Amino acid sequence: GLREAMLETVIPRGAGDRVMVVLGEHAGKVGKILEREPGRSRALVQLQRDAGGQVVPLGYDLICHYVGGLEED
């Protein structure tokens, strides 16, 4: 019974925090925030190894805080 309007994306505040991409071409991938651009509502995210460590700028609406395990765990 949830509507999208009831949800809010949570962007972590700590340096190097992990996020999951929830929309777009990288959806489902996990990465870490390298830099935030609050004025542009986006972050530079380095995707995990399966994406070759690619660094991509992603809007805050495309990412959310990730608390799951790492591949190495």
Side-chain angles (χ1 to χ4, degrees):
L2 290 177
R3 293 184 307 249
E4 186 176 344
M6 300 168 135
L7 304 174
E8 181 179 348
T9 303
V10 175
I11 306 298
R13 296 186 187 270
D17 281 335
R18 293 182 296 149
V19 294
M20 176 175 275
V21 183
V22 295
L23 293 171
E25 74 175 273
H26 301 291
K29 301 213 181 314
V30 174
K32 70 176 180 176
I33 292 181
L34 299 178
E35 180 182 331
R36 285 173 192 75
E37 298 178 12
R40 299 175 87 176
S41 295
R42 71 178 191 177
L44 288 177
V45 176
Q46 182 175 27
L47 301 175
Q48 282 187 343
R49 284 186 229 153
D50 63 335
Q54 182 180 8
V55 176
V56 293
L58 297 170
Y60 287 171
D61 289 341
L62 303 181
I63 58 177
C64 69
H65 191 198
Y66 178 72
V67 294
L70 292 172
E71 290 177 357
E72 301 89 49
D73 289 349

